């Protein structure tokens, strides 16, 4: 169980994704309320019943948005953290729901016992829904990425990198006392390590590695082309050197024949990298 909780989980990496997922979560919660009407909701009779129930969806969606907004900068997210986040969402939603129910619908005195009941209701409702949400999202993303990775890998297997580099663009890298000139197709990748970058390239049919004092962003500004792109907060690569890729719920791992380590693709860069890999053959 503990090993399962430590497994990486894809959290939302953009504010747009957070907003959309929060709206969807709130809408689904509202649909669940009006369809199943749990915990005595079916006994609540009012001319504007469904209108009065709608703020619960806003409460749940807002709680979802706040939680995702607070964790957007966290790294190394996993299933255990995701479950803790969902418990936090349930707790926040129970507080907001309690005040809404007490002050707007029930008009009863505020009390800890009533809040405890509301929290238990939210917990009983939220745990199974949250568990289904975590597992279904994980399985869905894993399936989508694995299928795409297989398709692109098969396409890359038929792709032959150009061997005539006579008219290659020359990449000029200048930082402190270092000046490098590398033909575009001889550049392999660059890896960021705090204030330094390791640059991998081919020279005289040998893969060389040079450590340069420069940020990855500054390096990208000097060498970015149609084939050389950033794919992760720590990596720049030459798409022409990608031989295959694997997909999981987190995203993709790229494999280059010239180096012995895999290069990850952040979820925020998937829409940039994967379509370009698909277009290599053309």
């Amino acid at each position: 169980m503990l090993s399962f909780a430590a497994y990486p989980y894809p959290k939302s990496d953009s504010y747009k994704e957070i907003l959309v997922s929060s709206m969807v979560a709130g809408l689904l919660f509202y649909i669940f309320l009006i369809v199943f009407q749990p915990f005595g909701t079916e006994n609540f009779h009012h001319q504007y019943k469904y209108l009065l129930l709608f703020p619960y969806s806003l409460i749940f969606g807002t709680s979802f948005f706040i939680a995702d907004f607070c964790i957007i900068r966290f790294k190394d997210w996993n299933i255990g953290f995701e479950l803790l986040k969902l418990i936090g969402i349930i707790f926040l939603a129970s507080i907001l729901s309690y005040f809404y129910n007490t002050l707007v619908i029930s008009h009863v005195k505020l009390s800890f016992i009533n809040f405890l009941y509301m929290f238990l209701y939210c917990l009983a409702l939220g745990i199974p829904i949250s568990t289904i949400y975590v597992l279904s999202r994980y399985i869905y993303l894993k399936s989508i990425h694995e299928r795409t990775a297989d398709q692109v890998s098969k396409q890359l297997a038929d792709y032959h990198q150009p061997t005539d580099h006579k008219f290659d663009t020359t990449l000029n890298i200048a930082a402190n006392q270092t000046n490098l000139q590398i033909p575009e197709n001889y550049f392999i990748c660059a890896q960021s390590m705090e204030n330094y970058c390791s640059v991998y390239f081919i020279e005289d049919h040998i893969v060389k590695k040079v450590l340069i004092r420069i940020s990855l962003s500054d390096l990208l500004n000097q060498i970015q082309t149609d084939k050389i792109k950033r794919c992760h907060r720590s990596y720049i690569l030459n798409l022409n050197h990608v031989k295959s890729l694997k997909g999981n719920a987190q995203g993709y791992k790229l494999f280059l024949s010239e180096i012995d380590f895999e290069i990850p693709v952040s979820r925020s860069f998937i829409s940039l990298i994967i379509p370009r890999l698909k277009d290599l053959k053309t």
Side-chain angles (χ1 to χ4, degrees):
M1 181 65 181
L2 291 177
S3 60
F4 176 74
Y7 207 81
Y9 187 83
K11 66 180 180 66
S12 298
D13 288 329
S14 70
Y15 296 111
K16 179 180 179 180
E17 184 179 354
I18 290 175
L19 180 60
V20 172
S21 61
S22 300
M23 293 172 62
V24 171
L27 181 60
L28 290 175
F29 189 80
Y30 179 66
I31 293 173
F32 187 89
L33 275 180
I34 62 176
V35 172
F36 296 101
Q37 299 193 37
F39 310 122
T41 307
E42 72 279 5
N43 297 321
F44 173 63
H45 302 287
H46 193 280
Q47 181 181 0
Y48 303 108
K49 175 179 178 176
Y50 296 119
L51 184 61
L52 290 172
L53 290 177
F54 183 72
Y56 286 112
S57 70
L58 297 179
I59 288 171
F60 186 79
T62 300
S63 301
F64 201 99
F65 180 87
I66 291 172
D68 269 352
F69 182 83
C70 291
I71 67 165
I72 192 170
R73 297 186 182 278
F74 280 67
K75 300 175 182 178
D76 302 322
W77 200 250
N78 58 41
I79 290 178
F81 291 147
E82 182 69 12
L83 292 175
L84 289 175
K85 183 201 79 173
L86 291 171
I87 291 175
I89 291 173
I90 293 171
F91 181 71
L92 178 58
S94 68
I95 294 175
L96 299 176
S97 296
Y98 169 68
F99 282 107
Y100 173 70
N101 180 72
T102 302
L103 301 176
V104 178
I105 298 180
S106 301
H107 300 288
V108 297
K109 291 181 61 176
L110 296 173
S111 71
F112 177 75
I113 296 299
N114 288 337
F115 166 71
L116 187 59
Y117 280 127
M118 177 61 74
F119 175 71
L120 292 176
Y121 289 154
C122 291
L123 200 63
L125 185 63
I127 287 180
I129 293 177
S130 298
T131 302
I132 294 171
Y133 163 79
V134 170
L135 292 177
S136 60
R137 184 168 183 262
Y138 180 86
I139 293 171
Y140 171 75
L141 290 174
K142 185 174 184 291
S143 174
I144 291 295
H145 293 162
E146 284 180 345
R147 185 164 62 249
T148 300
D150 287 341
Q151 293 172 351
V152 177
S153 291
K154 290 177 182 178
Q155 182 173 314
L156 290 173
D158 298 328
Y159 172 73
H160 301 286
Q161 183 178 334
T163 56
D164 184 6
H165 305 306
K166 183 177 180 180
F167 301 105
D168 270 2
T169 300
T170 299
L171 307 177
N172 296 295
I173 303 174
N176 295 329
Q177 303 300 316
T178 302
N179 287 280
L180 285 177
Q181 291 187 330
I182 307 171
E184 179 182 10
N185 278 306
Y186 287 158
F187 174 84
I188 301 172
C189 66
Q191 180 182 16
S192 174
M193 296 178 290
E194 296 183 352
N195 296 323
Y196 291 84
C197 284
S198 293
V199 177
Y200 295 81
F201 60 97
I202 299 171
E203 185 175 87
D204 297 328
H205 306 289
I206 298 173
V207 176
K208 292 193 174 182
K209 172 184 174 182
V210 175
L211 188 64
I212 304 174
R213 185 178 178 85
I214 189 174
S215 70
L216 198 69
S217 297
D218 289 340
L219 177 60
L220 183 66
N221 289 335
Q222 295 185 32
I223 66 173
Q224 182 168 227
T225 66
D226 288 340
K227 302 299 183 184
I228 298 175
K229 298 294 180 182
R230 187 170 188 169
C231 63
H232 186 270
R233 65 176 179 271
S234 299
Y235 290 95
I236 296 171
L237 85 159
N238 188 335
L239 298 176
N240 273 341
H241 288 272
V242 177
K243 299 302 180 185
S244 64
L245 62 157
K246 289 185 178 179
N248 54 36
Q250 288 288 90
Y252 298 92
K253 303 286 186 182
L254 306 180
F255 297 88
L256 288 67
S257 58
E258 296 87 355
I259 57 176
D260 58 0
F261 56 88
E262 60 190 28
I263 296 180
V265 179
S266 297
R267 292 185 65 236
S268 57
F269 287 101
I270 287 177
S271 60
L272 171 67
I273 299 300
I274 301 304
R276 288 183 177 273
L277 286 175
K278 290 180 179 179
D279 292 339
L280 277 180
K281 191 174 180 180
T282 58

